[in-house]
Amino acid sequence: MPSKSVIACCHSLLSHNLTIAFVESASTGRLIYDFTSVPDCGQIIKGSIVCYDRSVKEGLMKIPADVIDKYTAESPEVTQYLAESLKSLIPADVIVAVTGLASEGASESEEKPVGTMFVHGYVKDRAWKTKFQFEGTPDEIVAQTIDAIGTVLLDELSNVL
C-alpha cells in the first residue's frame, strides 16, 4: 500500500498532467511499484530503471567509472549523474533518482552509515536534491525513503506549479 505522501504526489501529478520517471538503486524497483499502485496513475508513469549493480550504472546509465571510484556508487554525485542520464533515456516532466545504503555491505562509513539515502531529481528543468538518514531494517529504510520522496516531491511540485 502506497503511503499518503505518494498518493498525494500521484494525484498532484495527475491534476497537472505531468509525467514521472525513476532511476533506482537502493530502492530496487519499489519506488515505481508504490507509484503504480495508486489507482488511475498509470498515465503519469513513464518508466523506471533499476541499476543496482555498478555495471548497469556504468554501462546503461553512462556513469564514468572514475566518478564511482571517487565518490562510491551510493553518493549524491552518482545520484545526480543518474538523474541527468535518465532525462535522455526516459523523457518525463519529473525525474527521480535514488541511491543509498539500505543494508550493510556497500560503502557505509561513520560519515555515511547504513540508512543514508540520496535523492536527486528534476521538476521540469528545476533540479532538487536531498539526503535522508533512516533507521530500521532494509525494508523499513526503503519504505521511509519512498514516503519521504513523496513528501519532498509534493513540495518541489508546489514550488514550480
Side-chain angles (χ1 to χ4, degrees), residues 31-45:
L31 188 55
I32 192 169
Y33 177 82
D34 279 12
F35 272 73
T36 58
S37 295
V38 177
D40 301 322
C41 285
Q43 60 191 315
I44 66 168
I45 307 293

Side-chain angles (χ1 to χ4, degrees), residues 49-70:
I49 295 171
V50 178
C51 58
Y52 196 79
D53 188 75
R54 177 184 175 136
S55 66
V56 179
K57 289 176 179 75
E58 291 177 12
L60 179 64
M61 301 307 295
K62 307 296 186 216
I63 310 302
D66 61 331
V67 170
I68 296 173
D69 291 341
K70 181 175 181 179

Side-chain angles (χ1 to χ4, degrees), residues 107-118:
S107 64
E108 65 270 10
S109 65
E110 270 191 43
E111 300 81 31
K112 188 173 65 172
V114 169
T116 305
M117 304 296 282
F118 302 100

Side-chain angles (χ1 to χ4, degrees), residues 28 64 79 85-86 95 127 134 137 147 159:
T28 65
T79 309
S85 181
L86 184 65
I95 297 290
F134 298 115
T137 66
D147 182 50
N159 290 336

